[in-house]
Amino acid sequence: MNQPTTLGFDLGNSRIKAAWLSDDELAPCPGFPLDSADELRSALRSLIEHRRPGRVALASTDPAKADRLLAQLHAHGLSASIDLRLGQALFDAGLVKHRLRTPETTGVDRALAVLAATKRFPNEASLVVDAGTAMTVNAIDAEQTFLGGAIIPGFGLMSRTLTEGTAALPEIDLESRPDCLGDSTISAMRSGIYYAAVGAVDRLLEELRETRSLGATPPVLVTGGNAKLLSQGLRTEHMLAPHLVLEGLRHVASHWPATS
Ligand SMILES: Nc1ncnc2c1ncn2[C@@H]1O[C@H](COP(=O)(O)OP(=O)(O)OP(=O)(O)O)[C@@H](O)[C@H]1O
Ligand SMILES: CC(C)(CO)[C@@H](O)C(=O)NCCC(=O)O
Ligand SMILES: [K+]
């Protein structure tokens, strides 16, 4: 049996997701918060206490947080032999083809999710939605070229904008699909935020399909911390893919030179 030895980290703007990665398996670890160094240290300790990784692979959209995680790993005698900070790393390695004008600023999470989609659908176009702190919609054509897409604020960011930009609107949370008719201040905010995002994603998927010759019904993969919540209201047919970024990282790890 193939023993998973790579510990992979997907470090986003609000959470760290980790998984044990092998050539044919992805075993997710419980997620941990990014807020305090103490919390991170103890979460990391319990993660590697019983099982020492042969290698660490890190993908991060936030360089400062990535450096902090690396410092914590060093304290445990570990370093990241794969340390990805930008989509460019995947483009340069020939793992993802693209037609982007600014590959040098493209998020590594977008490129990794796209890579995972090209492995799932090697012979057809596909669309990827990542519902995280920010939400992204990403288009891949039938030749497996990443064409680009859209970046929109996630539920939390939209909600914070409303609260911070007004005197009267309170802080809210959003845990399930709200009624579209908000009959209170809070339920009206929940409705607005939820349908702004879900409606935008549905419309983007439709526009991309129609205008970018992706075929009538390319498969749509939905990932990210808010994937399930988004999925509850999406009209476009789609599949949930909970760990698409880590899935992409698994593909990178299995192609990366063992010595680096
Ligand atoms: N178990 C969980 N712990 C924390 N947040 C969760 C959890 N499950 C869902 N969420 C939601 O997931 C969202 C973050 O999503 P995700 O983890 O994909 O973000 P991220 O990777 O930090 O963001 P980004 O991809 O924009 O950098 C949070 O807004 C939170 O509401
Ligand atoms: C858009 C986010 C925040 C989504 O996590 C991330 O992919 C990112 O920081 N991207 C940089 C800009 C870009 O992807 O073009
Ligand atoms: K992410």
Side-chain angles (χ1 to χ4, degrees), residues 167-252:
L169 296 185
E171 271 179 42
I172 60 149
D173 54 14
L174 186 61
E175 269 155 22
S176 58
R177 177 181 179 170
D179 192 326
C180 65
L181 197 155
D183 58 1
S184 67
T185 299
I186 286 178
S187 60
M189 288 174 71
R190 287 196 177 119
S191 168
I193 290 160
Y194 186 75
Y195 290 100
V198 175
V201 170
D202 264 329
R203 178 63 182 271
L204 282 161
L205 293 171
E206 184 187 323
E207 292 277 336
L208 287 166
R209 250 173 15 207
E210 285 174 2
T211 63
R212 290 300 186 276
S213 44
L214 301 177
T217 53
V220 176
L221 294 170
V222 180
T223 194
N226 286 315
K228 275 196 192 141
L229 182 54
L230 186 80
S231 171
Q232 289 167 15
L234 272 187
R235 290 188 172 173
T236 312
E237 204 182 310
H238 61 278
M239 286 163 257
L240 284 174
H243 312 288
L244 210 56
V245 174
L246 285 165
E247 203 174 298
L249 190 58
R250 185 178 71 76
H251 289 292
V252 174

Side-chain angles (χ1 to χ4, degrees), residues 10-13 17 61 109 130 132-134 224 245:
D10 162 17
L11 206 168
N13 281 294
K17 282 77 67 184
T61 50
D109 55 344
D130 189 344
T133 309
V245 174

Side-chain angles (χ1 to χ4, degrees), residues 113-191:
V114 163
L115 173 62
T118 65
K119 299 294 180 186
R120 284 188 183 217
F121 305 106
N123 303 309
E124 56 186 318
S126 60
L127 291 156
V128 174
V129 179
D130 189 344
T133 309
M135 294 193 190
T136 64
V137 180
N138 306 284
I140 304 150
D141 70 11
E143 282 70 50
Q144 308 306 303
T145 305
F146 177 21
L147 303 176
I151 302 171
I152 63 176
F155 295 126
L157 286 178
M158 281 202 231
S159 145
R160 237 174 288 155
T161 306
L162 276 180
T163 307
E164 281 166 17
T166 61
L169 296 185
E171 271 179 42
I172 60 149
D173 54 14
L174 186 61
E175 269 155 22
S176 58
R177 177 181 179 170
D179 192 326
C180 65
L181 197 155
D183 58 1
S184 67
T185 299
I186 286 178
S187 60
M189 288 174 71
R190 287 196 177 119
S191 168

Side-chain angles (χ1 to χ4, degrees), residues 4-156:
T5 54
T6 301
L7 180 56
F9 291 98
D10 162 17
L11 206 168
N13 281 294
S14 37
R15 280 203 303 153
I16 300 179
K17 282 77 67 184
W20 294 98
L21 310 172
S22 71
D23 286 345
D24 46 22
E25 206 192 354
L26 188 159
C29 311
F32 36 94
L34 266 176
D35 309 334
S36 90
D38 279 347
E39 278 176 338
L40 179 58
R41 193 173 305 119
S42 70
L44 205 56
R45 194 182 307 116
S46 55
L47 187 62
I48 60 176
E49 212 164 36
H50 301 296
R51 184 180 192 179
R52 189 138 180 106
R55 187 171 62 159
V56 172
L58 165 69
S60 176
T61 50
D62 182 330
K65 284 175 186 149
D67 287 341
R68 251 175 278 155
L69 178 60
L70 283 183
Q72 301 259 7
L73 286 166
H74 280 299
H76 291 281
L78 295 168
S79 60
S81 52
I82 300 172
D83 182 1
L84 310 171
R85 309 288 177 102
L86 284 169
Q88 182 95 56
L90 276 76
F91 308 145
D92 289 347
L95 292 166
V96 175
K97 290 184 288 179
H98 73 86
R99 213 176 299 147
L100 303 170
R101 268 194 306 115
T102 56
E104 71 283 0
T105 60
T106 303
V108 69
D109 55 344
R110 298 178 70 197
L112 285 169
V114 163
L115 173 62
T118 65
K119 299 294 180 186
R120 284 188 183 217
F121 305 106
N123 303 309
E124 56 186 318
S126 60
L127 291 156
V128 174
V129 179
D130 189 344
T133 309
M135 294 193 190
T136 64
V137 180
N138 306 284
I140 304 150
D141 70 11
E143 282 70 50
Q144 308 306 303
T145 305
F146 177 21
L147 303 176
I151 302 171
I152 63 176
F155 295 126

